[in-house]
Amino acid sequence: MVDRVRRTISRYNLLKYDDKILVAISGGKDSLSLLKILERIERDFPHSRLYAVMIDEGIGGYRAGCVAVAERFCSALGVPFTSLSFKNLFGFTLSEVVKSGVLEDLGLTPCTVCGIFRRKALTIAARRLGATVIATAHTLDDVVQTYLLNLLKGEVNMKPVGLRRENGQAIPRVAPLRLTPQREIALYAYLENIPFQTTTCPYTHTSMRDRVRSFMAWYAANKPEALFSFLKNFERLLEKAGQRVESRCEICGEPSSRKICRACEIELLIKDRLRR
Ligand SMILES: [Zn+2]
């Protein structure tokens, strides 16, 4: 597994020898496995640094136990661990947002909002730590799911997922597991005794991603290479389509194709509704 991830990193030039790498820890087996694999790989690069960061979205009863588990796991690996919460960063928890009824008004699911703020929170954490790159544990299955979801939504400004793109100010995000199928990470986690969370997020059933996941399981059932060839061919298309020049968000200054990025836009709307 370590060799496979090492090959993925060099094939796509995901990491540099002196990177300060923020590894996004969800508490699940994928991200702890990624941390363990990267810790092994980066031992050969003495100028690199690893940081583990967990974002607490504030879903009552869901996050509590896994912060401690992740913290213990990181300290055993000798990787500094930080936990940041939506509450501290933005002033509200995901549960508060859901309970307020704001999401129905905005036409958004908890998962969409959680994903947008999680992304923003990781960027903030990376800036604070001086990280040069953010590594997420998206597997081959996750990357393909994201492409399919974006296609279904008719997203026109699609970007490659988990490939290093340097566009000036943004902190690049990479997915070193992008060529590793989900089931292989599950097997690795099992063999390596990686602790994992047994409770699933209470909002996960609301997600369109779940339906796409079921479709993919059906589609790739007798054809394990199907996802890999989709990824390869689809990214060739994306490359041909080229990339647009991005402007910056007027509020947070991060790159965005809009005047105000989606995270800041939704944050303002939520705060406005919660104030009433
Ligand atoms: Zn913004």
Side-chain angles (χ1 to χ4, degrees):
M1 184 60 76
V2 170
D3 285 336
R4 173 178 206 148
V5 175
R6 203 182 266 131
R7 278 199 304 275
T8 305
I9 290 170
S10 77
R11 169 173 178 168
Y12 294 110
N13 288 315
L14 296 183
L15 297 174
K16 298 177 179 167
Y17 76 99
D18 60 351
D19 263 327
K20 295 189 172 65
I21 308 161
L22 183 161
V23 183
I25 301 294
S26 70
K29 57 182 167 23
D30 297 358
S31 56
L32 294 181
S33 298
L34 172 65
L35 185 68
K36 180 158 186 172
I37 294 166
L38 285 182
E39 193 278 326
R40 178 65 202 87
I41 291 174
E42 296 304 317
R43 261 186 243 164
D44 301 335
F45 298 92
H47 294 287
S48 71
R49 288 284 173 277
L50 279 175
Y51 308 96
V53 173
M54 185 178 250
I55 307 297
D56 179 358
E57 62 291 271
I59 301 174
Y62 168 60
R63 191 54 78 186
C66 70
V67 177
V69 171
E71 192 161 16
R72 232 175 294 134
F73 186 82
C74 294
S75 98
L77 280 180
V79 176
F81 173 86
T82 314
S83 156
L84 290 173
S85 68
F86 279 14
K87 188 78 180 173
N88 283 335
L89 291 171
F90 308 120
F92 45 76
T93 67
L94 189 65
S95 293
E96 284 166 0
V97 172
V98 172
K99 264 187 223 126
S100 73
V102 174
L103 297 182
E104 283 81 3
D105 300 352
L106 297 175
L108 297 169
T109 64
C111 299
T112 306
V113 168
C114 188
I116 288 169
F117 286 124
R118 183 171 293 285
R119 198 180 170 87
K120 180 165 182 171
L122 285 173
T123 302
I124 295 172
R127 298 254 180 244
R128 286 185 187 169
L129 291 166
T132 53
V133 63
I134 296 173
T136 62
H138 293 104
T139 60
L140 174 63
D141 303 52
D142 296 324
V143 175
V144 172
Q145 268 162 38
T146 302
Y147 286 147
L148 288 176
L149 273 165
N150 282 330
L151 276 172
L152 290 170
K153 279 189 280 187
E155 175 66 59
V156 282
N157 196 11
M158 225 188 285
K159 295 167 199 131
V161 175
L163 289 184
R164 190 164 189 143
R165 294 184 308 132
E166 309 276 358
N167 57 351
Q169 297 303 307
I171 297 170
R173 304 170 77 93
V174 299
L177 303 179
R178 70 194 320 278
L179 297 183
T180 306
Q182 191 76 51
R183 59 186 145 69
E184 289 181 30
I185 273 295
L187 182 64
Y188 172 85
Y190 173 74
L191 294 174
E192 294 286 325
N193 266 317
I194 307 270
F196 63 95
Q197 199 169 14
T198 42
T199 38
T200 49
C201 171
Y203 302 120
T204 184
H205 63 279
T206 61
S207 136
M208 184 74 168
R209 189 174 277 272
D210 261 22
R211 277 178 249 172
V212 172
R213 189 179 292 130
S214 315
F215 161 75
M216 276 170 41
W218 168 80
Y219 176 71
N222 302 314
K223 237 169 51 163
E225 75 288 356
L227 298 185
F228 182 71
S229 55
F230 172 80
L231 179 117
K232 224 174 50 187
N233 294 325
F234 188 72
E235 287 183 342
R236 209 174 290 152
L237 273 177
L238 277 186
E239 210 178 300
K240 272 192 195 151
Q243 277 160 32
R244 286 194 209 168
V245 186
E246 288 189 337
S247 53
R248 303 267 198 90
C249 167
E250 287 178 359
I251 296 176
C252 68
E254 297 292 338
S256 168
S257 53
R258 304 151 170 250
K259 265 170 78 105
I260 293 175
C261 78
R262 191 136 164 85
C264 287
E265 181 192 357
I266 295 173
E267 190 178 341
L268 286 175
L269 283 168
I270 290 174
K271 280 180 175 157
D272 184 51
R273 302 290 169 90
L274 289 175
R275 226 177 279 130
R276 281 184 213 167

